Amino acid sequence: MEISQKRWSNLSKILERNGAFCHGDFTPSKDNLEFLQTTAKILVIGAGGLGCDILKDLGLMGFCDIHVIDMDTIELSNLNRQFLFRRNDIGSSKAEVAAAFINNRIPGCKVTPHFCKIQDFDQSFYRQFHIIVCGLDSIVARRWMNGMILSLLNYDDGQLDPSTLIPMIDGGTEGFKGNARVILPGMTACIDCTLDLFPPQVTYPLCTIANTPRLPEHCIEFVKIIQWPKELPFGEVTLDGDDPQHVMWVYEKAQERARQYNIAEVSYRLVQGVIKNIIPAVASTNAVIAAACVTEVFKIATQCYNPMNNYMVFSDLEGIYSYTYEAEKKDDCLACSSIPKEVAVEDPNTMTLEDLIKYLCENHEFQMKNPGITGCVEGKQKTLYMSTVKSIEEKTRSNLTLSLGELGLKDGQELFVSDCTSPNTVTLKLKYKGNEIEME
Amino acid sequence: MSSPSPKSPELSDHSKKYDRQIRLWGEHGQKSLERANICLINATAVGCEVIKNLILPGIGSFTIIDGNIVTEEDLGTNFYVEKEAIGASKSECCMRLLQELNPDVNGDYLDESIDSLLETRSEFFQSFDVVIASNIKEATLKNLSNLLWDYNIPLVYCRSLGFVGSIRLQFREHCVVEPHPDNKPLDLRIENPFTTLKEHLAVSEVNGKSPWVHVIHKHLVEWKKDHEGNPPKTYKEKNQFKEMIRIAMKSDEENHEEAIKAVNTVFESAGKISSNLSAIFNDEACQKLNTKDKNLQFWVIAKSMQDFIKTENNDLLPLQGVVPDMTADTDSYIKLQSIYRQKAMQDAENVYQRCLNTLLNIGMKNEIISENTVRLYCREASGLRFIRGTKIQSEYSDWDKSTTLAEGLECQQPLMELYAVLRAYDHFYTEFGYIPGESYVEPDTPKLKGLVTKLLQDWNIRHPVSDDMVYEICHYGGAEIHSISAFIGASAAQEVIKLLTQQYVPIDNTFLYSGITTETATYKF
């Protein structure tokens, strides 16, 4: 049976009629629906907890050309919320199974899956989309996408060329809390502008873990960080939280350690949670946040209402609470500002390159993972350190223990940093306190 | 899939599947869900989204009631219909495509309209734990509200209209046992230590490795000498007390730093009866136990807890027994932890014995309350909450909440306006027999506006509602927009989970959402 456009009569009421609160640029017309169906091209990042709902919501909001990227495969513990997957799908690509399900259920909707990493694509791929929606659980991936859409912006005489701007809608959840936000790159706060909103990961001091454990978590961390690399019970392999044998080994060793210190019961669930850093998740919160994101996609694509400005937090622990506010764009944002971010250095003669790298990883404004640093020293471009390429790492390792002064880095020096948190090189400027570089 | 043998600590298949949510509401919360039997009236998109978000976490069973057939329009809003089913029973199709999401869940359907069911077999609803409904006529909603109120079954009424939505929760009463607050208050009783703690603190030497509880205790003893036995209360006193600790601190002793940080909150609420709890103790249901009460377990434990608090525990709650992690050497921390735990166990045991007595007095069997449940209630004592709801039907006759509405309108709260217009919107159908804006917006807008004005008059409200809101609602013409339905449906599903598990705090009682401005609000009507 052929399905007629009558199917969309609900959407038509919004798209072909004037409302009281419409966006100033909105013109009610049949063309609006046609634009969604034939022109609009949407990219969804992630086909997991948020992604499944985002795909369904987009499909039923009239979008027909949707791409989805996800590198993961389906696991049993996904099934309590990732509703496009069944038991038989375990082990298959999330992107592929999700796309097939939507294409089968919603006539005329075409979801194109990409079973790979976001880093596998370059600018030419991302440039083809009108709007990008992120349903990710990783901050690094979010920042990378953020950096990618920022890199697509073109300026003519300092004026942003609007045709190069791809809005990014980003959702995130943890338990009963979530957030949804609209990012207009170059115009509104980006992911890096608000890095401090991400809660720091729980870590335990090494001395507590090693010497004065008090909680079951301390015992598990000890086995994970100290005992595993020392004993390597399954040979030269890293600890895998999805391998039941590995988890069981940690479980037994952690229990042993807990008994030794009279620490209360270590449970198997806790062991898994600590090893994999599991974030609890329920269907409802994911569905709420996905819906909020897709409502914004629809608003931007059709211009029917003003998009959210620009950040909504949601929690339904006590009643149902939400709050929408304008997150502020930072003038010296690492990612979206052209002003190089300054790094204050107390004393360049005592701060080593390793200290600088540690600072870039631990400071909440940078939160980098494996920064590689290059800079212009005595007129020559020089790689100071890079951990990601083995041969370069070996050659530059000796620089780590040298002080910034010894490396010949001056006050006001610009350094170029590459990190997995961005596809772009970030420029930093060293700012020495005082100017007491010792001359030799 | 193979499951590990019962003795293995490895998680069962079932436990793995629901792992990410069991970490939130526990195995006991999961069991409450799996026992539940819910009903959906009308297989709208919003209704099906509620059910979807209950089926995934593993609700016991669900039944869909709908007398309509699947139409082309359904295909544009509802994910749980397929084109092959156009013209066939909607309740059957939605049930099948929803049930398929989770084989652990039982699905059933009834190809009948709610009106005929209410007329001929209203007792049908008695078997459900929660009823969810959407898109029903004013008169039907009133009847349903009355019926379910009498049966003491919660009703969740959802609405998704254009870019706005709402949820109305109707329950007679609801007990919250585990509210899971973001910051659970500490319960350490340092200013008023129980015997074993007092003894332990008295003989423990305080050094750089002692838990901060010891540090605070040591200085508190000194402080009390000069302050008539009282702990620091005011901001100023707390600062003085912090200074006392700081002076005694040797360089960078982390436990002392932690003690200073703890001063602000540690004396606040330890063991005191919260206003929620005091309302529970004073409730008639607690004073006079009724063996027919649906929440008898809650009241028996509450009454027994009150006995314990008044007669034996100097007006202090049973001890929580939880010591947060603090810098300390293992031995002194574990020792302290076990002292708190033992006292908490004793308190719970005492309350449990009183429960058994109470049950005996009212002629009930022991089995209805387990010792584990009493332990849970004792641990959560500071957060226990009892909510009495209101009936939807009462919004239609002798409405005593119109002042809430009047105040909201005067403060120009847009979602209050929305509520007023939605009431008129429902009434429009009763008056004219069709949905405002269904075919034409312009002629229907003044008609809808007229009904709003009439309602405001009936409620003695002088403040008008803006023409914009009336026009906006009218121009939707009854359209259901999927992303709005998904937002409302998912939020409503979580409210159902709260009702079923007695965990987290449900809305009381009307939630409104605008997708236009991304605003939400909750009002009690």
Side-chain angles (χ1 to χ4, degrees):
Chain A
M1 184 178 166
E2 258 321 289
I3 312 289
S4 71
Q5 284 292 81
K6 213 175 124 193
R7 166 161 55 127
W8 302 113
S9 62
N10 283 279
L11 281 180
S12 299
K13 294 218 170 77
I14 302 289
L15 296 176
E16 293 170 25
R17 291 173 166 190
N18 231 329
F21 306 118
C22 282
H23 188 287
D25 294 339
F26 177 69
T27 320
S29 156
K30 283 200 190 322
D31 298 345
N32 292 321
L33 182 60
E34 202 188 311
F35 173 77
L36 295 185
Q37 293 179 325
T38 60
T39 311
K41 201 165 179 178
I42 312 292
L43 175 64
V44 179
I45 315 281
L50 284 164
C52 284
D53 278 281
I54 289 171
L55 289 170
K56 172 204 68 164
D57 295 347
L58 285 172
L60 288 175
M61 294 300 275
F63 294 93
C64 290
D65 188 359
I66 306 166
H67 285 238
V68 60
I69 307 177
D70 198 312
M71 62 184 278
D72 282 342
T73 54
I74 297 158
E75 292 173 27
L76 177 58
S77 64
N78 300 147
L79 302 187
N80 79 323
R81 60 198 188 283
Q82 301 179 17
F83 69 104
L84 302 175
F85 311 143
R86 304 291 171 267
R87 203 165 265 268
N88 288 341
D89 299 323
I90 290 172
S92 305
S93 150
K94 287 188 176 179
E96 286 167 6
V97 175
F101 198 105
I102 298 285
N103 293 345
N104 181 48
R105 180 63 57 84
I106 306 176
C109 184
K110 185 168 173 277
V111 181
T112 310
H114 303 279
F115 179 27
C116 62
K117 290 193 266 194
I118 50 173
Q119 292 84 354
D120 293 346
F121 292 110
D122 61 10
Q123 291 186 330
S124 63
F125 173 81
Y126 290 108
R127 197 175 280 132
Q128 63 180 312
F129 298 100
H130 290 98
I131 302 172
I132 297 177
V133 202
C134 293
L136 289 162
D137 57 5
S138 138
I139 298 169
V140 172
R142 265 197 195 89
R143 290 176 74 186
W144 193 91
M145 271 316 302
N146 184 59
M148 173 52 76
I149 54 164
L150 284 165
S151 77
L152 297 177
L153 295 177
N154 245 340
Y155 290 86
D156 272 341
D157 288 339
Q159 286 293 312
L160 176 64
D161 173 0
S163 69
T164 61
L165 184 152
I166 302 176
M168 178 163 118
I169 321 294
D170 177 60
T173 69
E174 180 172 348
F176 297 108
K177 293 177 184 173
N179 68 276
R181 66 190 293 186
V182 173
I183 295 169
L184 305 176
M187 296 175 68
T188 64
C190 79
I191 298 279
D192 278 51
C193 287
T194 56
L195 261 193
D196 48 347
L197 293 178
F198 294 109
Q201 212 182 320
V202 180
T203 53
Y204 305 100
L206 202 62
C207 61
T208 298
I209 296 171
N211 305 322
T212 57
R214 298 175 296 270
L215 303 180
E217 286 89 338
H218 297 155
C219 302
I220 302 165
E221 283 284 342
F222 179 83
V223 179
K224 177 181 150 186
I225 298 173
I226 303 191
Q227 255 177 304
W228 181 277
K230 208 156 106 193
E231 298 185 24
L232 288 172
F234 301 94
E236 283 284 338
V237 285
T238 48
L239 174 58
D240 177 2
D242 293 314
D243 185 328
Q245 272 190 303
H246 290 194
V247 182
M248 188 55 98
W249 189 84
V250 177
Y251 171 68
E252 280 168 1
K253 294 288 173 186
Q255 254 189 342
E256 219 170 86
R257 187 167 169 84
R259 260 196 300 272
Q260 191 188 328
Y261 284 93
N262 287 316
I263 294 169
E265 192 71 5
V266 175
S267 76
Y268 191 87
R269 199 184 295 285
L270 186 69
V271 171
Q272 261 197 325
V274 173
I275 297 180
K276 293 180 72 179
N277 187 28
I278 290 175
I279 294 164
V282 284
S284 59
T285 315
N286 280 312
V288 167
I289 295 301
C293 288
V294 172
T295 298
E296 296 308 315
V297 176
F298 184 83
K299 286 199 236 171
I300 292 173
T302 65
Q303 295 202 316
C304 64
Y305 295 106
N306 282 317
M308 172 210 298
N309 184 24
N310 51 36
Y311 198 112
M312 177 191 77
V313 290
F314 175 90
S315 161
D316 57 7
L317 280 173
E318 180 163 358
I320 307 173
Y321 168 84
S322 83
Y323 177 61
T324 306
Y325 70 101
E326 182 177 351
E328 278 182 42
K329 193 169 182 307
K330 263 197 189 144
D331 289 337
D332 64 341
C333 170
L334 203 55
C336 75
S337 151
S338 52
I339 305 165
K341 195 159 182 88
E342 285 188 353
V343 177
V345 176
E346 279 292 337
D347 181 357
N349 297 313
T350 55
M351 186 183 210
T352 63
L353 187 63
E354 193 165 23
D355 293 335
L356 177 66
I357 290 173
K358 203 170 160 218
Y359 176 80
L360 294 178
C361 293
E362 288 174 358
N363 184 282
H364 72 102
E365 289 190 44
F366 294 96
Q367 298 188 35
M368 292 184 172
K369 299 295 162 197
N370 51 0
I373 304 182
T374 57
C376 190
V377 184
E378 287 155 2
K380 268 193 281 182
Q381 201 64 25
K382 203 173 143 191
T383 300
L384 298 170
Y385 184 71
M386 183 171 288
S387 66
T388 47
V389 182
K390 202 174 170 228
S391 59
I392 305 180
E393 199 281 332
E394 283 166 3
K395 262 189 235 154
T396 54
R397 194 184 299 158
S398 58
N399 286 342
L400 286 175
T401 49
L402 296 179
S403 75
L404 302 183
E406 284 167 332
L407 285 165
L409 302 175
K410 305 270 186 307
D411 182 33
Q413 172 99 38
E414 291 198 345
L415 294 177
F416 309 103
V417 183
S418 60
D419 187 61
C420 63
T421 52
S422 174
N424 314 315
T425 302
V426 174
T427 310
L428 302 178
K429 195 171 176 178
L430 295 178
K431 174 91 178 133
Y432 292 173
K433 290 215 171 135
N435 49 359
E436 55 276 60
I437 291 237
E438 276 170 47
M439 290 304 185
E440 290 179 36
Chain B
M1 283 247 158
S2 65
S3 272
S5 67
K7 272 191 179 166
S8 159
E10 207 184 314
L11 304 176
S12 70
D13 194 57
H14 168 274
S15 194
K16 269 188 211 160
K17 174 168 154 185
Y18 297 115
D19 177 78
R20 299 302 186 268
Q21 65 199 42
I22 290 173
R23 287 173 192 275
L24 293 165
W25 52 61
E27 301 273 5
H28 62 296
Q30 185 64 26
K31 278 208 184 79
S32 313
L33 266 189
E34 289 171 12
R35 272 194 302 262
N37 183 15
I38 55 168
C39 171
L40 174 68
I41 297 170
N42 289 342
T44 56
V46 68
C48 288
E49 291 298 313
V50 183
I51 299 295
K52 165 213 164 209
N53 289 302
L54 291 170
I55 289 175
L56 289 168
I59 196 95
S61 55
F62 70 99
T63 301
I64 299 182
I65 298 167
D66 195 314
N68 292 306
I69 54 165
V70 177
T71 63
E72 271 185 86
E73 283 93 334
D74 291 329
L75 249 54
T77 57
N78 193 334
F79 194 69
Y80 301 97
V81 293
E82 52 190 358
K83 60 176 188 290
E84 294 76 13
I86 291 179
S89 158
K90 191 154 141 186
S91 56
E92 189 279 332
C93 175
C94 291
M95 187 284 287
R96 182 165 43 81
L97 295 184
L98 279 162
Q99 196 275 328
E100 179 253 342
L101 298 176
N102 187 350
D104 300 346
V105 176
N106 294 308
D108 201 355
Y109 70 97
L110 198 61
D111 189 1
E112 191 175 341
S113 82
I114 173 67
D115 288 303
S116 90
L117 191 61
L118 277 177
E119 217 167 276
T120 57
R121 286 188 287 151
S122 62
E123 69 286 352
F124 174 83
F125 291 100
Q126 264 174 321
S127 60
F128 297 107
D129 296 294
V130 177
V131 174
I132 298 138
S134 67
N135 199 29
I136 50 185
K137 288 181 291 195
E138 217 179 16
T140 313
L141 180 59
K142 285 192 244 177
N143 287 340
L144 187 67
S145 159
N146 276 333
L147 180 80
L148 295 176
W149 185 266
D150 290 343
Y151 285 160
N152 199 3
I153 296 168
L155 167 64
V156 182
Y157 187 65
C158 303
R159 182 201 301 273
S160 166
L161 172 64
F163 261 65
V164 301
S166 66
I167 303 168
R168 169 65 155 97
L169 235 57
Q170 168 182 303
F171 51 76
R172 272 182 178 235
E173 46 192 41
H174 176 69
C175 312
V176 181
V177 181
E178 295 165 83
H180 298 280
D182 267 333
N183 297 304
K184 201 168 181 177
L186 294 176
D187 183 17
L188 296 170
R189 316 268 167 108
I190 306 174
E191 74 281 24
N192 202 353
F194 46 91
T195 317
T196 46
L197 178 63
K198 201 176 193 167
E199 287 166 4
H200 175 65
L201 291 173
V203 299
S204 307
E205 189 203 335
V206 177
N207 56 38
K209 287 175 178 166
S210 317
W212 60 254
V213 172
H214 294 255
V215 178
I216 292 205
H217 172 259
K218 178 183 151 186
H219 293 284
L220 192 61
V221 173
E222 290 304 308
W223 172 273
K224 278 182 169 176
K225 283 181 193 160
D226 302 330
H227 294 83
E228 294 162 2
N230 291 317
K233 283 178 183 156
T234 62
Y235 177 72
K236 198 177 148 198
E237 284 180 344
K238 282 177 183 169
N239 278 344
Q240 288 169 348
F241 188 69
K242 285 182 200 175
E243 200 47 40
M244 250 176 100
I245 301 175
R246 201 169 282 128
I247 290 166
M249 179 169 94
K250 295 186 191 109
S251 66
D252 67 347
E253 285 177 324
E254 255 181 274
N255 59 338
H256 283 69
E257 294 283 2
E258 287 174 4
I260 290 168
K261 270 192 207 144
V263 169
N264 279 341
T265 51
V266 74
F267 305 121
E268 284 312 308
S269 57
K272 298 200 182 79
I273 301 173
S274 68
S275 57
N276 282 326
L277 197 56
S278 132
I280 290 170
F281 291 158
N282 293 327
D283 201 287
E284 204 185 331
C286 188
Q287 305 288 332
K288 277 190 207 155
L289 295 174
N290 173 0
T291 53
K292 299 231 165 56
D293 197 313
K294 204 177 176 180
N295 295 313
L296 183 63
Q297 171 178 288
F298 181 88
W299 294 120
V300 168
I301 299 176
K303 193 178 173 63
S304 312
M305 191 187 285
Q306 187 187 19
D307 283 349
F308 168 73
I309 291 169
K310 296 283 172 211
T311 61
E312 199 160 326
N313 215 33
N314 298 320
D315 277 338
L316 291 169
L317 301 183
L319 189 72
Q320 214 179 75
V322 178
V323 182
D325 187 35
M326 48 187 76
T327 301
D329 62 280
T330 306
D331 285 347
S332 50
Y333 175 81
I334 299 290
K335 179 74 190 134
L336 189 67
Q337 193 186 39
S338 71
I339 285 169
Y340 278 97
R341 280 197 183 161
Q342 270 167 20
K343 168 71 163 110
M345 292 288 271
Q346 278 169 17
D347 287 0
E349 169 65 23
N350 191 313
V351 176
Y352 177 61
Q353 289 307 327
R354 286 165 194 272
C355 285
L356 295 183
N357 267 330
T358 312
L359 287 171
L360 196 68
N361 289 338
I362 57 171
M364 297 296 288
K365 287 197 175 128
N366 286 352
E367 299 91 76
I368 72 161
I369 294 174
S370 76
E371 194 166 359
N372 268 337
T373 308
V374 176
R375 269 189 215 142
L376 176 69
Y377 273 66
C378 289
R379 202 180 67 212
E380 301 289 339
S382 65
L384 292 181
R385 213 184 279 206
F386 179 73
I387 310 167
R388 240 180 254 288
T390 67
K391 198 170 168 181
I392 294 175
Q393 200 267 338
S394 71
E395 290 177 47
Y396 290 86
S397 54
D398 309 323
W399 198 31
D400 59 355
K401 290 289 185 338
S402 60
T403 47
T404 312
L405 179 58
E407 282 163 17
L409 289 177
E410 259 158 49
C411 301
Q412 299 191 316
Q413 293 172 10
L415 294 179
M416 248 342 165
E417 282 203 328
L418 176 63
Y419 173 82
V421 178
L422 290 175
R423 285 290 303 273
Y425 174 88
D426 286 344
H427 200 55
F428 191 103
Y429 192 89
T430 313
E431 288 278 314
F432 303 105
Y434 68 94
I435 293 165
E438 199 177 331
S439 311
Y440 304 102
V441 183
E442 303 306 331
D444 288 348
T445 307
K447 281 186 177 170
L448 182 58
K449 172 81 183 174
L451 291 179
V452 174
T453 313
K454 171 85 174 37
L455 276 176
L456 292 177
Q457 270 168 11
D458 290 351
W459 298 325
N460 283 319
I461 294 175
R462 293 236 185 103
H463 201 279
V465 163
S466 76
D467 287 349
D468 279 352
M469 187 61 90
V470 178
Y471 185 80
E472 179 70 13
I473 296 301
C474 195
H475 107 281
Y476 294 146
E480 179 167 15
I481 301 300
H482 185 79
S483 69
I484 304 297
S485 298
F487 188 100
I488 292 292
S491 302
Q494 193 55 42
E495 296 307 298
V496 174
I497 291 171
K498 291 174 185 176
L499 295 177
L500 293 172
T501 57
Q502 301 191 320
Q503 297 190 40
Y504 312 98
V505 185
I507 56 163
D508 181 25
N509 49 32
T510 303
F511 171 77
L512 292 150
Y513 166 62
S514 162
I516 306 167
T517 54
T518 329
E519 275 173 293
T520 63
T522 306
Y523 301 114
K524 176 144 189 167
F525 288 127

